[in-house]
Amino acid sequence: YFTGKSFQLPLACALLLENLKDKVVFTGGLAEDGRILVVDGFYQKKKACEERGFVLADPSKLGTLKELVEFLSKEAVDIPLHITYETGDKARTDFEDFCLQTNINTQYLKAVYGLDESMLLLSTGQLRTAQDWQSKAEEFIRKIKHIDTITGSRARFHISIKSSSAFAFACGILHGSQKPFVLYHYQNSKYHPLPVYDVRELKKLVEPTLIKVDFEKGNEELCVVLNFAHHSALADVKRQTEGKCSYLVLSSSESGALPLEKFFHIAQQSASAIQKLRNEHSFSSYHFFFSCPVPIAFMVGVAFGHFSDGYIYNYEREENLYKQVLSIRFLRNLREG
C-alpha cells in the first residue's frame, strides 16, 4: 500500500529503463506533463540509502522524466575529471572552465549520482615529498573507482591534467587499458580533446614512423626516456645513473612542436617500442623519465600497465635533477587493492 507520490518516479524508472543500475535509487512524484516533483523526507531517505551503499537521486535537481530516462539510457556516462596543480578558488575556476568547454551535463551527474566538484576535481598543489605523490595517486584511483561503481561500470572519463608528465604517466597506469577515455590537451586557453575509444589500439605493435628509437644496452635495469619536449633529458639521466643502466630514448623524428593530431600515434609508437624491448630482453626493472607533453605520458602509462617493477621520476627544476617519486609496485597495489 502506497501513500503520497514518492513511489511514482521509481516506478516509472523501473518500467522505462531496461538496465537500471543498482547503486542509484529514486524517490519523487510525477506531474502529468512529465515534470519530476519533490516529495517529503528526502534527507532521511538519502541518509538511509547512504548507510546501505546506495545513491539517492535528488528530485529537486531533475527536470523531466524524459530527460532522466535519456540520461540513464546512454551506453556510457561521460565524466569530467580535472587534475590541476592549482589550489583553492583558482582550481575551482579551472574546473568550471573545463566543464564548460567539454559541454558535459554536470547538473545531472550531481543530481543522479551525487558527483559534484569534490569528486570531479583533483587539486594536487605542489607535490614535494614521496608521501604527497602517493597520497594524490591514491586520491585519483579512489575517485575513478567510486565513480565507476556508482555509474554501473559505465563511466567514460574526460580527463584534463594540468600537472607533470610523471603524474600523468602514473594516472595512466592507474586508469588502465580496459575502458575508452578522452584526454584533453590545454593549449592557448583551450582544452583540445584527444579521444581514445579503442584502447587496444594504444597497445598495438607498430613501426616507429614518427619517432626515433635509440637503444643502448647496459645492465638489467632499463631507463626509458620520453624525450619529446625542448629539454633534453638523456644527459641528466645518465649523470644520475652513472651510465650503468640500459637506455631507451624515444624522441620525435621531426623538429619543432608536436602536432596535436599526432599525439596518439606518437604514444602508440612509443609504447610499441617499449613492448618490443620487453619481449627481447629480461629487464629487472624499468625507470621512466619524462620530457614530453602530458597526454603522451598518460597514454604511454595506459599502454605500459602495472605488471612490471620499476620507478617513475619527475624533473625538479630547482635542483636540476630527476627525483624518484613513485614505484610501479605501489601503483600496482592501488590497482589491485
Side-chain angles (χ1 to χ4, degrees):
Y1 179 72
F2 294 102
T3 60
K5 296 184 176 182
S6 61
F7 75 94
Q8 293 176 344
L9 180 60
L11 178 58
C13 289
L15 291 170
L16 295 174
L17 291 164
E18 293 184 6
N19 298 308
L20 199 59
K21 302 305 171 183
D22 61 3
K23 289 298 179 184
V24 180
V25 291
F26 302 90
T27 186
L30 286 173
E32 288 188 15
D33 61 3
R35 287 178 295 115
I36 295 172
L37 305 175
V38 177
V39 292
D40 294 335
F42 172 75
Y43 290 102
Q44 294 92 326
K45 295 173 185 176
K46 181 180 179 182
K47 181 180 178 182
C49 290
E50 290 173 348
E51 290 172 350
R52 292 158 178 80
F54 293 95
V55 178
L56 180 64
D58 186 348
S60 69
K61 295 181 173 62
L62 299 173
T64 67
L65 179 62
K66 181 180 178 181
E67 291 172 349
L68 177 62
V69 170
E70 286 178 354
F71 177 78
L72 291 170
S73 297
K74 292 179 179 178
E75 185 177 340
V77 181
D78 290 306
I79 307 288
L81 181 57
H82 185 58
I83 301 168
T84 178
Y85 56 81
E86 301 285 4
T87 57
D89 290 341
K90 186 63 173 72
R92 287 187 286 273
T93 301
D94 262 7
F95 172 70
E96 291 168 3
D97 183 40
F98 173 59
C99 290
L100 283 173
Q101 291 197 37
T102 58
N103 200 30
I104 294 174
N105 190 341
T106 55
Q107 175 192 342
Y108 264 67
L109 291 178
K110 183 175 182 179
V112 176
Y113 299 114
L115 296 175
D116 57 14
E117 178 187 287
S118 65
M119 186 56 62
L120 305 177
L121 170 64
L122 198 167
S123 173
T124 66
Q126 295 298 316
L127 300 173
R128 301 187 183 280
T129 67
Q131 288 73 23
D132 291 339
W133 285 82
Q134 291 178 359
S135 172
K136 293 304 175 180
E138 288 174 340
E139 185 177 348
F140 175 80
I141 197 165
R142 186 166 61 248
K143 286 178 183 292
I144 64 173
K145 282 188 173 184
H146 171 73
I147 292 168
D148 202 46
T149 297
I150 66 169
T151 57
S153 297
R154 294 186 301 138
R156 178 170 59 204
F157 289 99
H158 292 244
I159 304 172
S160 167
I161 306 176
K162 293 174 71 175
S163 184
S164 68
S165 296
F167 191 69
F169 180 78
C171 290
I173 290 176
L174 292 173
H175 179 278
S177 59
Q178 300 302 310
K179 293 194 173 189
F181 57 89
V182 182
L183 280 179
Y184 290 80
H185 180 59
Y186 187 72
Q187 184 176 313
N188 299 327
S189 300
K190 289 186 177 181
Y191 293 92
H192 302 271
L194 296 162
V196 182
Y197 295 135
D198 188 351
V199 184
R200 291 174 298 179
E201 282 291 306
L202 265 181
K203 305 178 75 169
K204 186 177 178 180
L205 292 179
V206 295
E207 292 302 314
T209 58
L210 297 174
I211 67 172
K212 292 189 295 184
V213 180
D214 297 304
F215 175 59
E216 180 182 324
K217 185 72 173 74
N219 64 19
E220 294 181 351
E221 297 187 64
L222 178 66
C223 293
V224 180
V225 184
L226 274 67
N227 201 47
F228 296 105
H230 300 298
H231 170 250
S232 180
L234 181 60
D236 294 329
V237 172
K238 281 195 168 184
R239 184 178 70 249
Q240 284 186 230
T241 57
E242 299 178 349
K244 296 178 180 179
C245 299
S246 296
Y247 299 92
L248 174 64
V249 182
L250 306 171
S251 55
S252 176
S253 58
E254 302 176 2
S255 59
L258 298 177
L260 191 65
E261 62 271 16
K262 294 184 179 180
F263 276 22
F264 175 87
H265 298 290
I266 289 171
Q268 180 193 50
Q269 292 176 25
S270 298
S272 182
I274 297 168
Q275 185 57 45
K276 285 180 180 178
L277 271 187
R278 288 168 96 176
N279 295 340
E280 295 168 2
H281 301 272
S282 298
F283 294 110
S284 59
S285 60
Y286 295 79
H287 304 263
F288 286 90
F289 303 82
F290 304 92
S291 180
C292 72
V294 164
I296 291 177
F298 182 94
M299 288 187 280
V300 174
V302 168
F304 182 78
H306 60 282
F307 297 107
S308 300
D309 284 334
Y311 297 90
I312 300 170
Y313 298 76
N314 184 59
Y315 185 69
E316 305 288 340
R317 294 185 183 280
E318 298 83 2
E319 303 176 47
N320 193 31
L321 55 78
Y322 278 91
K323 182 179 178 181
Q324 186 185 114
V325 290
L326 284 168
S327 76
I328 296 175
R329 179 170 293 186
F330 173 79
L331 301 177
R332 178 165 64 247
N333 290 338
L334 290 183
R335 278 285 307 267
E336 297 175 350

